[in-house]
Amino acid sequence: MPRRLLGTSLPKSGTHLLAGIFAQLGFTTRAVRKAGLSEVVDVSVFNVDTPADLYLYGHLRERQADVLEAVQRQGYQVIVMVRDPRDVCLSMVDFLASGRPSHVHRSEPALIRLSRHDLLQGVICGFDLPDYKTPPIRDLVMGWLEWRRHGGIVIRFEEIVEAVLAGISPPGLRHIDVDCEAFVAAAAATFGDQAGKTFNRGLIRRWETEFEPRTMDLWQAHALGVASYLGYAEVGEPVRHGSKAQASAALSTDVGP
């Protein structure tokens, strides 16, 4: 019987990484599109009649009742990909500073002139520019783990990085119908694909060295508790995920943020 998987993730948390891994494993992969930043999804995308293993992916919270019903009716197993939200913020800044997405920069040319700190402030607190308004990171992060109420399996970006480095299986894989060794090998190949869509190829816990004191103050004032919601240690707490020895490890000599 063909396998049906739905991968849903917070933006900049390894969406294309996970899609690349399942493509390497022989799955047919398809993106679930939404209208802009809305939560609305056309549920017909889940009604796929194919004998092939299928991996659908996108940024879907379990807020749309007909999506949840379609996922359950069609027998999809849900994988929720998360990442330390402070590193998510840094990847978002990288993305914006590179001039992407192009349509956003065309409508709001002031973005490209912002300093890196101002971009980071906008990502953490939300942008309120004339033609670019976004929610704060707190609102963006909340609502993903609720998939667990419906059997969703959480996999962490950091766990995949460490699995490749150490040759071990990510803990969440034991609940998914895939070969663990093949998954880790596919992850290594996907990280090494320089032509792939993975923007950040294997750096974890960047925030520990890239958050300036003023950025940390900003986080404490506007986003305290966001990391702990996803299961990551807040400042001053013991490390929960990721090892210090691997915090700045890249998966090849020429990859970077």
Side-chain angles (χ1 to χ4, degrees):
M1 183 156 178
R3 291 169 288 182
R4 295 286 184 263
L5 301 177
L6 171 64
T8 180
S9 59
L10 182 70
K12 301 303 171 194
S13 295
T15 307
H16 293 292
L17 167 65
L18 209 52
I21 291 171
F22 281 105
Q24 292 266 353
L25 292 174
F27 282 70
T28 297
T29 63
R30 297 178 185 173
V32 177
R33 303 296 182 187
K34 296 189 297 183
L37 294 176
S38 75
E39 297 283 339
V40 179
V41 173
D42 180 358
V43 296
S44 66
V45 71
F46 299 104
N47 303 325
V48 179
D49 184 16
T50 173
D53 292 330
L54 181 64
Y55 178 76
L56 299 182
Y57 63 95
H59 307 305
L60 293 86
R61 286 179 263 205
E62 50 84 76
R63 294 176 175 176
Q64 192 176 335
D66 55 349
V67 167
L68 178 60
E69 192 275 334
V71 167
Q72 294 176 330
R73 184 181 68 252
Q74 296 295 330
Y76 283 85
Q77 184 174 30
V78 178
I79 302 171
V80 184
M81 182 79 156
V82 300
R83 182 186 185 191
D84 191 311
R86 292 157 292 199
D87 279 353
V88 168
C89 288
L90 290 169
S91 280
M92 287 181 172
V93 168
D94 292 341
F95 194 61
L96 290 170
S98 72
R100 293 178 287 177
S102 57
H103 70 277
V104 168
H105 283 270
R106 283 195 299 270
S107 63
E108 187 52 80
L111 264 177
I112 203 66
R113 298 192 293 270
L114 294 179
S115 68
R116 188 170 180 83
H117 174 75
D118 288 341
L119 287 173
L120 196 47
Q121 179 174 318
V123 169
I124 292 173
C125 301
F127 284 97
D128 190 22
L129 299 172
D131 291 300
Y132 187 57
K133 301 183 187 298
T134 64
I137 190 66
R138 178 180 298 279
D139 292 350
L140 189 64
V141 163
M142 298 301 175
W144 301 92
L145 297 186
E146 279 65 19
W147 278 109
R148 292 184 300 186
R149 297 182 302 189
H150 312 287
I153 305 301
V154 175
I155 295 182
R156 301 179 185 279
F157 176 83
E158 294 83 2
E159 290 173 348
I160 295 180
V161 172
E162 293 178 350
V164 173
L165 290 170
I168 58 175
S169 173
L173 279 189
R174 63 181 179 269
H175 303 294
I176 301 171
D177 185 19
V178 295
D179 180 87
C180 294
E181 289 187 8
F183 182 95
V184 174
T190 304
F191 272 124
D193 179 11
Q194 297 301 307
K197 293 183 178 180
T198 307
F199 187 53
N200 187 315
R201 295 180 172 87
L203 295 177
I204 61 177
R205 297 179 67 184
R206 293 175 55 193
W207 69 273
E208 290 192 345
T209 56
E210 295 185 39
F211 267 29
E212 300 175 347
R214 58 179 176 169
T215 309
M216 191 61 69
D217 290 342
L218 199 65
W219 183 272
Q220 296 289 86
H222 297 277
L224 187 64
V226 172
S228 60
Y229 163 75
L230 290 179
Y232 295 88
E234 299 285 352
V235 176
E237 293 182 352
V239 173
R240 300 181 194 176
H241 298 287
S243 64
K244 287 195 172 183
Q246 297 166 334
S248 61
L251 294 176
S252 72
T253 57
D254 55 357
V255 299

